[in-house]
Amino acid sequence: MIDLQQLRQNIEMIAARLYKERGFKLDVIEMQRLEVQRKTRQIIVQDLQHKRNKAAKVLGQEKAKGLDIRDQSKALKQDGVALKVAQTELQALQSELEALYLSIPNLLHPSVPNGKNSNDNRVERHWGTPNIFTFTAKDHLSLGRALKQLDMERAAKLSGARFSVLYGDLARLQRALIQFMLNTHTANHGYQEVYVPYLVKKTCLYGTGQLPKFKEDDEEFSLAGAYCDLTLIPTAEVPVTNLVCGEIIPFEQLPLKWVAHTPCFRSEAGSYGKDVHGLLRMHQFEKVELVQITHPDQSEHLLEEIVGHAEFILQQLELPYRVVTLCSGDTGFSSAKTYDLEVWIPSQKIYREISSCSNFEDFQARRLKARFRDQATGKPRLVHTLNGSALAISRALLAIMENHQDENGRIYIPSVLQPYMNQQSHLDNQGSK
RNA sequence: GGAGAGAUGGCCGAGCGGUUUAAGGCGCUCCCCUGCUAAGGGAGUAUGGGGUAUCCCCAUCGAGGGUUCGAAUCCCUCUCUCUCCGCCA
C-alpha cells in the first residue's frame, strides 16, 4: 500500500505517475468522493460516541446516588440506534476505500527505466562467457533422461504436467545446491537461517501483495475443506516477510537478514503453452530466498548487496549470467525496483531469469504494519522490506546441466558443490539405476 | 480425539456491569537528593485515527458478533496458549 497521506495531498501528481509508470488508472473523482464521505461520517460517529460516553457516565453517577434513571435511559436508546446506523455506513465506506487502496501498485524508484515489457529492461552487466560447444549442446531434459536421473513421465503419472522426479546423483545435486546456498549465505553473508510453514493464511498474501488479484488467474494453490483459508506458498517471501507482521522491531536489530529454503507452489495460470517441458516452469520447485527487513535509509544500498549475494552464488557455480533492471512495465505490483539475474541457457541461446531481487520500500511494511522504533523521535516508523532469490534451485540445476555438459553427456559438478557430493566431479550413468 | 484452565500495556498482575480517566509492581527515560556505589524522592513511559491542534475527542483489554443508556467485566462464535488423558513422526 502506498502512503495515503501522500496520496491525499498530491493526488493529481501521484495519479499521473501511476498511469505513466504502471498504466494504472486511479479514479481520482471517486476516491475523493469516498474520502469526503468517510471524513464526514467519521466525525459524526465520533461525535455520537462522545455523547454516548458522557451520558453513560452521568447516568452511572446518578444511579450510584440512588436516583431513578429509567426515563433518561429510555431517551438515550434512540442515540444508540443512530450511532449504529452511522457506524455501519462508515464501515461500508472504509472497506470500499480499503479495497481501492489495496489495488494501487507501488510507486517506482526514479532509477527504474520506462518501458512496456521485458524487451525494455535495462542490461546492467554481464559475468562470464557462454561456452562455445564443439558439439551440439543438448537441453537439460535430454541430458537428464540419458542419465536416467530425470523423469517427467512418472511425475506426470503422479501429479500431471509441470512436476518432476529426480533420481540418484541428480537428486543429490539438487540437495547439494540447497546446502551450498544456505551455508554460503549464513557463513559469508550474515543471514540467519529460518524454517517456516509452507501453508499460510490468506492474510499473509495480502501482506506481501500477492493478493488481491484482479486478473482472473489465481496464481496460488489453496486447500479445500476444513483448511480452506490456507494457501501453499508461491515463494518463501510470503512466510518470511510476514514474520514481522504487526511488530515494532527494536532499532538496533535492523537489518534483519533471513535466508530460507522452501519449496514453492505456483499454478502457472496464464502461462499455458509456455516452457512446458523440463524443469524451467513447474508447479513445485525449490528455492533459497533472502529477505531483509531494514531501516528506510538503507534499503536502496541493501538491494545492491542482495544482488551481490545472489551473483556470488552464480559465480561460484561457474554459470554465465547478466544483471538487468526491470523496466516500469515489467516490475511487480509491490516492488519499487527489481533486478533480475538471468543465467545463460545454452539450449535456448538466451538468458533466463534465475533470481529476482526487489526493494519494496515501505509498501509491504504498510500492509503488514511492520515497524521499528525511530531512535531520534522514539516513534514507530515503517521498515523497508527487500528480498531476492539466491537462487531458484531447479533453474540452477538446469543451468548446471546445460552449461557444464560434455559431448558424452556427462555433467561437470562445480567444485564448490563437490564437497557436498563426496568429492564427485561429474554426473554420469553410474549414479542411476 | 476427550477433560479442564486461560489470553489485560515493554513485562508481571488486579479488575468480573457505571467513581477505571485500566489499580499496584517491575523495567525504562529524565529530574532532584546523596562527595563514589547503594538507597531515597518526583515526573514521564502504548498504538492507530479525527478535530476548532502547545489542547481536545474517538477506537483498541486475543479476534469477530450480541445484550445494555453504559462492557475489560455478561452471552455467542472463532483463534491461540497451558495442564491431564489418548494417539502419533
Side-chain angles (χ1 to χ4, degrees), chain A residues 125 306-316 321 323 341:
Chain A
R125 57 186 173 273
I306 289 178
V307 173
H309 296 157
E311 284 187 70
F312 182 74
I313 300 292
L314 279 165
Q315 291 168 11
Q316 295 294 295
Y321 66 89
V323 182
L341 303 190

Side-chain angles (χ1 to χ4, degrees), chain A residues 199-206 211 229-231 238 242:
Chain A
L199 286 162
V200 296
K201 297 175 186 173
K202 295 259 190 304
T203 52
C204 293
L205 293 157
Y206 280 91
L211 288 176
D229 59 332
L230 292 179
T231 301
V238 176
N242 271 277

